[in-house]
Amino acid sequence: MATDVLIVGGGPVGLYLAASLLQDGVGVRVLEQRQSRNMHTRAIGIHPPALEALHGIQVASSAVRDGVRIRYGMAVRGGRSVGTMSFAGVSAAFPFVLALPQFRTEELLEERVNHLDGDAIVRGVRASEVKDDGGRVTVVGHAGHQRVEFEASLVVAADGARSRVRDLLGVPVRARNYADHYLMGDFQDPGLNAGTAVLFLEPGGIVESFPLPDGVRRWVVRLGRPAGGAGPDQLAALVRERTGVFPDAGTNTMLSAFSVRSTLARRMVAGRVVLIGDAAHEISPIGGQGMNLGWLDAQALSPLIRATLSGGRPDNVERLFKEFDAGRRKAALLARRQSEINMLLGRPLPGPLLTLRNLGISAAAATPAVNRWVARRFTMQ
Ligand SMILES: Cc1cc2nc3c(=O)[nH]c(=O)nc-3n(C[C@H](O)[C@H](O)[C@H](O)COP(=O)(O)OP(=O)(O)OC[C@H]3O[C@@H](n4cnc5c(N)ncnc54)[C@H](O)[C@@H]3O)c2cc1C
């Protein structure tokens, strides 16, 4: 089968790019190895620049309809507020961070892609070979035992952190592992701090808490070692021990333990294949930037693809791709640095240092200009 652009990976980033290209009349096929959606809720935070990108593909209004608008972030220690950050000034159109489970976001993106072209998403095909002859790219995949072949002018790998396409192209990655481990789970919201994200800066380590749709609240607890086989009871007990709030373990709907690493591909463009999203850069989930960053890659890539397909001057197109590669890898480095600051903030500290740090946060939050600056950095601006 031949198409203009073949996207490998139908996660949030691949689906976003597909919608963006289809609505401009570009022929697209998306190969997705999974037959059905991953219902595990991973990303929840959508920042204003990404909401603007979603607006461009007509998905923002349904996302905002289904999500929770987080207008404030609050830092708490020992039951008392240390400081509050407002997102009111971060964007005229979207003055909030939107909380929406990733599977719902993906559903909305998929609906948009299907509306534009009901045949665009090809499920159950795992890409396993890539051949770039300089003019066209051939991707070989398997649907069960059946071998299938696709040909395209350009291939975009949005196949996630363990990208097979990246490995096939031999693009090296720089990886970092961190001594930060987390246990997270979704519980019924006891109704405290409605619509507000709360960071509990406690001596035993940070606890983060975010509102989700349908009266659910996500709790994330930092641990000094992997959580092993901990269950909802252990997570609820840890939250209580550190914050005094006791989520009802019986209402738990999702539980996940994860350790943190980051990876950055040494290049995002290899011939006629482009890496975007987690395939190009995996960022620590703390701070919630990975999916947002991937959408911003796709938003930047879309016009370059159109320029290439419409026969733009090769030297001009090459320069644009070089700029894309440098610009998006710089954005990924910035996001990684921000996530490292977020993780640092959550590490346990002995009493005097903790007090000093919290006083610093208090002073920063009380200074409007600093408050605004931090809010903008936190929301990827
Ligand atoms: C606990 C946790 C919390 C997070 N919270 C946030 C957050 O709040 N905000 C945020 O922005 N980010 C967050 N992230 C990160 C976010 O989930 C990822 O950045 C995002 O999923 C990346 O999207 P992607 O489309 O690039 O890759 P993926 O979501 O990994 O999608 C890749 C897709 O490619 C498919 N695929 C893989 N290989 C092949 C192949 N060979 N052939 C065909 N298909 C293939 C996979 O099945 C998958 O569907 C979080 C991550 C975790 C783990």
Short mmCIF file of all heavy atoms in Angstrom, two decimals, residues 208-252:
data_model
loop_
_atom_site.label_atom_id
_atom_site.label_comp_id
_atom_site.label_asym_id
_atom_site.label_seq_id
_atom_site.Cartn_x
_atom_site.Cartn_y
_atom_site.Cartn_z
N GLU A 208 2.12 14.00 45.63
CA GLU A 208 1.42 14.89 44.71
C GLU A 208 -0.02 14.41 44.57
O GLU A 208 -0.27 13.20 44.59
CB GLU A 208 2.10 14.86 43.33
CG GLU A 208 3.56 15.23 43.40
CD GLU A 208 4.22 15.28 42.02
OE1 GLU A 208 3.51 15.11 41.01
OE2 GLU A 208 5.43 15.47 41.98
N SER A 209 -0.92 15.35 44.37
CA SER A 209 -2.33 14.98 44.30
C SER A 209 -3.04 15.87 43.27
O SER A 209 -2.94 17.09 43.33
CB SER A 209 -2.90 15.17 45.71
OG SER A 209 -4.28 15.27 45.68
N PHE A 210 -3.72 15.21 42.31
CA PHE A 210 -4.34 15.96 41.20
C PHE A 210 -5.80 15.53 41.03
O PHE A 210 -6.11 14.33 41.06
CB PHE A 210 -3.61 15.65 39.89
CG PHE A 210 -2.13 15.88 39.95
CD1 PHE A 210 -1.26 14.82 40.18
CD2 PHE A 210 -1.61 17.16 39.80
CE1 PHE A 210 0.11 15.02 40.25
CE2 PHE A 210 -0.24 17.36 39.87
CZ PHE A 210 0.62 16.30 40.09
N PRO A 211 -6.68 16.51 40.80
CA PRO A 211 -8.08 16.15 40.54
C PRO A 211 -8.24 15.57 39.14
O PRO A 211 -7.56 16.01 38.21
CB PRO A 211 -8.81 17.49 40.65
CG PRO A 211 -7.79 18.51 40.31
CD PRO A 211 -6.45 17.95 40.70
N LEU A 212 -9.11 14.60 38.99
CA LEU A 212 -9.42 14.00 37.70
C LEU A 212 -10.93 14.04 37.49
O LEU A 212 -11.67 14.24 38.46
CB LEU A 212 -8.93 12.54 37.66
CG LEU A 212 -7.43 12.33 37.47
CD1 LEU A 212 -7.07 10.86 37.64
CD2 LEU A 212 -7.00 12.79 36.09
N PRO A 213 -11.41 13.84 36.27
CA PRO A 213 -12.86 13.84 36.06
C PRO A 213 -13.55 12.75 36.88
O PRO A 213 -12.90 11.81 37.36
CB PRO A 213 -13.00 13.55 34.56
CG PRO A 213 -11.68 13.87 33.97
CD PRO A 213 -10.66 13.64 35.02
N ASP A 214 -14.85 12.89 37.00
CA ASP A 214 -15.71 11.90 37.66
C ASP A 214 -15.39 11.71 39.14
O ASP A 214 -15.48 10.59 39.68
CB ASP A 214 -15.65 10.53 36.94
CG ASP A 214 -16.01 10.66 35.48
OD1 ASP A 214 -16.95 11.44 35.18
OD2 ASP A 214 -15.36 10.01 34.63
N GLY A 215 -14.97 12.79 39.82
CA GLY A 215 -14.76 12.73 41.26
C GLY A 215 -13.60 11.82 41.67
O GLY A 215 -13.64 11.21 42.74
N VAL A 216 -12.59 11.75 40.83
CA VAL A 216 -11.43 10.90 41.13
C VAL A 216 -10.24 11.82 41.45
O VAL A 216 -10.16 12.94 40.95
CB VAL A 216 -11.12 9.99 39.91
CG1 VAL A 216 -9.82 9.21 40.11
CG2 VAL A 216 -12.28 9.04 39.65
N ARG A 217 -9.33 11.36 42.31
CA ARG A 217 -8.10 12.10 42.58
C ARG A 217 -6.92 11.15 42.44
O ARG A 217 -6.98 10.00 42.87
CB ARG A 217 -8.13 12.71 43.99
CG ARG A 217 -7.06 13.77 44.23
CD ARG A 217 -7.37 14.63 45.44
NE ARG A 217 -7.96 15.90 45.07
CZ ARG A 217 -7.27 17.01 44.75
NH1 ARG A 217 -5.96 16.99 44.75
NH2 ARG A 217 -7.86 18.12 44.43
N ARG A 218 -5.89 11.64 41.77
CA ARG A 218 -4.65 10.84 41.63
C ARG A 218 -3.67 11.22 42.72
O ARG A 218 -3.45 12.40 42.99
CB ARG A 218 -4.01 11.09 40.26
CG ARG A 218 -2.59 10.52 40.19
CD ARG A 218 -2.10 10.36 38.81
NE ARG A 218 -2.99 9.47 38.06
CZ ARG A 218 -2.80 9.15 36.78
NH1 ARG A 218 -1.77 9.65 36.13
NH2 ARG A 218 -3.63 8.34 36.17
N TRP A 219 -3.09 10.19 43.34
CA TRP A 219 -2.06 10.39 44.36
C TRP A 219 -0.76 9.79 43.86
O TRP A 219 -0.75 8.65 43.36
CB TRP A 219 -2.47 9.71 45.67
CG TRP A 219 -3.64 10.36 46.33
CD1 TRP A 219 -4.96 10.04 46.15
CD2 TRP A 219 -3.63 11.47 47.24
NE1 TRP A 219 -5.76 10.87 46.90
CE2 TRP A 219 -4.96 11.76 47.59
CE3 TRP A 219 -2.61 12.22 47.80
CZ2 TRP A 219 -5.31 12.77 48.47
CZ3 TRP A 219 -2.95 13.25 48.69
CH2 TRP A 219 -4.28 13.51 49.01
N VAL A 220 0.33 10.54 43.99
CA VAL A 220 1.65 10.05 43.57
C VAL A 220 2.60 10.25 44.76
O VAL A 220 2.76 11.37 45.25
CB VAL A 220 2.19 10.84 42.35
CG1 VAL A 220 3.48 10.21 41.83
CG2 VAL A 220 1.16 10.93 41.24
N VAL A 221 3.22 9.16 45.18
CA VAL A 221 4.10 9.21 46.36
C VAL A 221 5.52 8.87 45.92
O VAL A 221 5.74 7.87 45.24
CB VAL A 221 3.62 8.18 47.41
CG1 VAL A 221 4.61 8.08 48.56
CG2 VAL A 221 2.25 8.58 47.95
N ARG A 222 6.46 9.73 46.33
CA ARG A 222 7.86 9.42 46.00
C ARG A 222 8.44 8.44 47.01
O ARG A 222 8.21 8.55 48.22
CB ARG A 222 8.71 10.70 46.02
CG ARG A 222 10.13 10.41 45.56
CD ARG A 222 11.10 11.49 45.93
NE ARG A 222 12.43 11.12 45.45
CZ ARG A 222 13.28 10.36 46.13
NH1 ARG A 222 12.96 9.87 47.31
NH2 ARG A 222 14.47 10.06 45.62
N LEU A 223 9.20 7.47 46.47
CA LEU A 223 9.83 6.47 47.32
C LEU A 223 11.33 6.45 47.04
O LEU A 223 11.76 6.82 45.95
CB LEU A 223 9.27 5.07 47.01
CG LEU A 223 7.73 4.92 47.13
CD1 LEU A 223 7.29 3.61 46.52
CD2 LEU A 223 7.31 4.98 48.59
N GLY A 224 12.09 5.98 48.00
CA GLY A 224 13.55 5.92 47.81
C GLY A 224 13.97 4.64 47.09
O GLY A 224 15.12 4.51 46.67
N ARG A 225 13.06 3.69 46.94
CA ARG A 225 13.39 2.46 46.21
C ARG A 225 12.14 1.95 45.50
O ARG A 225 11.02 2.41 45.83
CB ARG A 225 13.95 1.40 47.15
CG ARG A 225 13.06 1.06 48.31
CD ARG A 225 13.85 0.20 49.32
NE ARG A 225 13.29 0.32 50.64
CZ ARG A 225 12.23 -0.34 51.07
NH1 ARG A 225 11.59 -1.18 50.27
NH2 ARG A 225 11.77 -0.18 52.30
N PRO A 226 12.28 1.04 44.55
CA PRO A 226 11.11 0.58 43.80
C PRO A 226 10.01 0.04 44.72
O PRO A 226 10.30 -0.56 45.76
CB PRO A 226 11.67 -0.52 42.89
CG PRO A 226 13.12 -0.19 42.76
CD PRO A 226 13.54 0.43 44.06
N ALA A 227 8.76 0.28 44.32
CA ALA A 227 7.62 -0.04 45.21
C ALA A 227 7.35 -1.52 45.31
O ALA A 227 6.55 -1.95 46.16
CB ALA A 227 6.39 0.68 44.70
N GLY A 228 7.98 -2.33 44.49
CA GLY A 228 7.75 -3.79 44.53
C GLY A 228 6.28 -4.09 44.31
O GLY A 228 5.65 -3.52 43.45
N GLY A 229 5.74 -4.99 45.15
CA GLY A 229 4.36 -5.41 44.92
C GLY A 229 3.34 -4.63 45.74
O GLY A 229 2.28 -5.16 46.07
N ALA A 230 3.63 -3.36 46.07
CA ALA A 230 2.71 -2.57 46.91
C ALA A 230 1.34 -2.46 46.25
O ALA A 230 1.23 -2.34 45.03
CB ALA A 230 3.28 -1.19 47.15
N GLY A 231 0.29 -2.48 47.07
CA GLY A 231 -1.08 -2.40 46.56
C GLY A 231 -1.75 -1.11 47.02
O GLY A 231 -1.12 -0.25 47.65
N PRO A 232 -3.06 -0.98 46.72
CA PRO A 232 -3.80 0.24 47.09
C PRO A 232 -3.75 0.53 48.59
O PRO A 232 -3.68 1.69 48.99
CB PRO A 232 -5.24 -0.06 46.65
CG PRO A 232 -5.15 -1.20 45.72
CD PRO A 232 -3.90 -1.95 45.99
N ASP A 233 -3.79 -0.54 49.43
CA ASP A 233 -3.77 -0.30 50.88
C ASP A 233 -2.47 0.38 51.30
O ASP A 233 -2.47 1.32 52.10
CB ASP A 233 -3.90 -1.63 51.64
CG ASP A 233 -5.29 -2.21 51.47
OD1 ASP A 233 -6.26 -1.43 51.59
OD2 ASP A 233 -5.40 -3.41 51.18
N GLN A 234 -1.36 -0.12 50.74
CA GLN A 234 -0.06 0.47 51.10
C GLN A 234 0.03 1.92 50.62
O GLN A 234 0.55 2.77 51.32
CB GLN A 234 1.10 -0.33 50.49
CG GLN A 234 1.42 -1.61 51.22
CD GLN A 234 0.67 -2.79 50.62
OE1 GLN A 234 -0.35 -2.64 49.96
NE2 GLN A 234 1.18 -3.99 50.86
N LEU A 235 -0.48 2.17 49.41
CA LEU A 235 -0.42 3.55 48.90
C LEU A 235 -1.28 4.47 49.78
O LEU A 235 -0.83 5.55 50.18
CB LEU A 235 -0.89 3.60 47.43
CG LEU A 235 -0.97 5.00 46.81
CD1 LEU A 235 0.33 5.77 46.95
CD2 LEU A 235 -1.35 4.92 45.33
N ALA A 236 -2.49 4.01 50.10
CA ALA A 236 -3.37 4.84 50.94
C ALA A 236 -2.71 5.09 52.30
O ALA A 236 -2.76 6.22 52.83
CB ALA A 236 -4.72 4.14 51.12
N ALA A 237 -2.04 4.07 52.85
CA ALA A 237 -1.39 4.22 54.16
C ALA A 237 -0.23 5.21 54.07
O ALA A 237 -0.03 6.04 54.97
CB ALA A 237 -0.91 2.86 54.66
N LEU A 238 0.54 5.14 52.98
CA LEU A 238 1.66 6.08 52.80
C LEU A 238 1.16 7.52 52.70
O LEU A 238 1.75 8.44 53.28
CB LEU A 238 2.41 5.74 51.51
CG LEU A 238 3.52 4.69 51.61
CD1 LEU A 238 3.94 4.25 50.21
CD2 LEU A 238 4.73 5.29 52.34
N VAL A 239 0.06 7.70 51.95
CA VAL A 239 -0.50 9.05 51.80
C VAL A 239 -0.93 9.56 53.18
O VAL A 239 -0.64 10.70 53.56
CB VAL A 239 -1.70 9.04 50.81
CG1 VAL A 239 -2.43 10.37 50.83
CG2 VAL A 239 -1.23 8.71 49.40
N ARG A 240 -1.57 8.70 53.94
CA ARG A 240 -2.05 9.13 55.27
C ARG A 240 -0.88 9.49 56.19
O ARG A 240 -0.89 10.52 56.86
CB ARG A 240 -2.87 8.00 55.89
CG ARG A 240 -3.40 8.40 57.25
CD ARG A 240 -4.01 7.21 57.93
NE ARG A 240 -4.96 7.59 58.94
CZ ARG A 240 -5.73 6.75 59.55
NH1 ARG A 240 -5.70 5.47 59.25
NH2 ARG A 240 -6.55 7.15 60.47
N GLU A 241 0.13 8.60 56.16
CA GLU A 241 1.29 8.81 57.03
C GLU A 241 1.95 10.17 56.76
O GLU A 241 2.33 10.89 57.66
CB GLU A 241 2.26 7.69 56.71
CG GLU A 241 3.39 7.45 57.66
CD GLU A 241 4.24 6.31 57.09
OE1 GLU A 241 3.73 5.18 56.93
OE2 GLU A 241 5.42 6.58 56.76
N ARG A 242 2.06 10.52 55.45
CA ARG A 242 2.78 11.75 55.13
C ARG A 242 1.89 13.00 55.15
O ARG A 242 2.38 14.10 55.40
CB ARG A 242 3.41 11.63 53.74
CG ARG A 242 4.54 10.63 53.70
CD ARG A 242 5.33 10.76 52.41
NE ARG A 242 6.20 9.61 52.21
CZ ARG A 242 6.88 9.40 51.11
NH1 ARG A 242 6.79 10.23 50.10
NH2 ARG A 242 7.66 8.33 51.00
N THR A 243 0.59 12.85 54.82
CA THR A 243 -0.24 14.06 54.62
C THR A 243 -1.40 14.18 55.60
O THR A 243 -2.00 15.25 55.69
CB THR A 243 -0.86 14.05 53.20
OG1 THR A 243 -1.87 13.02 53.15
CG2 THR A 243 0.16 13.79 52.13
N GLY A 244 -1.79 13.07 56.22
CA GLY A 244 -2.97 13.11 57.09
C GLY A 244 -4.26 12.86 56.33
O GLY A 244 -5.31 12.68 56.93
N VAL A 245 -4.19 12.84 54.99
CA VAL A 245 -5.39 12.54 54.18
C VAL A 245 -5.38 11.04 53.92
O VAL A 245 -4.34 10.46 53.62
CB VAL A 245 -5.35 13.30 52.82
CG1 VAL A 245 -6.61 13.02 52.02
CG2 VAL A 245 -5.16 14.79 53.04
N PHE A 246 -6.57 10.43 54.02
CA PHE A 246 -6.60 8.96 53.87
C PHE A 246 -7.52 8.57 52.72
O PHE A 246 -8.73 8.48 52.89
CB PHE A 246 -7.10 8.36 55.18
CG PHE A 246 -6.85 6.87 55.28
CD1 PHE A 246 -5.82 6.26 54.58
CD2 PHE A 246 -7.66 6.08 56.09
CE1 PHE A 246 -5.59 4.89 54.68
CE2 PHE A 246 -7.44 4.70 56.19
CZ PHE A 246 -6.39 4.12 55.49
N PRO A 247 -6.94 8.33 51.52
CA PRO A 247 -7.80 7.89 50.41
C PRO A 247 -8.41 6.52 50.75
O PRO A 247 -7.74 5.70 51.39
CB PRO A 247 -6.84 7.77 49.23
CG PRO A 247 -5.56 8.36 49.66
CD PRO A 247 -5.52 8.38 51.14
N ASP A 248 -9.63 6.31 50.31
CA ASP A 248 -10.30 5.05 50.59
C ASP A 248 -9.79 3.97 49.61
O ASP A 248 -10.09 4.02 48.41
CB ASP A 248 -11.82 5.28 50.43
CG ASP A 248 -12.63 4.00 50.65
OD1 ASP A 248 -12.01 2.93 50.83
OD2 ASP A 248 -13.87 4.10 50.63
N ALA A 249 -9.00 3.02 50.15
CA ALA A 249 -8.36 2.01 49.28
C ALA A 249 -9.39 1.23 48.47
O ALA A 249 -9.12 0.79 47.35
CB ALA A 249 -7.52 1.06 50.13
N GLY A 250 -10.59 1.09 49.02
CA GLY A 250 -11.64 0.34 48.32
C GLY A 250 -12.11 1.03 47.04
O GLY A 250 -12.76 0.40 46.21
N THR A 251 -11.80 2.32 46.88
CA THR A 251 -12.25 3.04 45.67
C THR A 251 -11.16 3.11 44.61
O THR A 251 -11.32 3.80 43.60
CB THR A 251 -12.68 4.48 46.03
OG1 THR A 251 -11.51 5.20 46.48
CG2 THR A 251 -13.75 4.50 47.11
N ASN A 252 -10.04 2.41 44.85
CA ASN A 252 -8.91 2.51 43.91
C ASN A 252 -9.28 1.94 42.53
O ASN A 252 -9.83 0.85 42.43
CB ASN A 252 -7.71 1.73 44.48
CG ASN A 252 -6.55 1.73 43.52
OD1 ASN A 252 -6.33 0.76 42.81
ND2 ASN A 252 -5.81 2.81 43.47
#
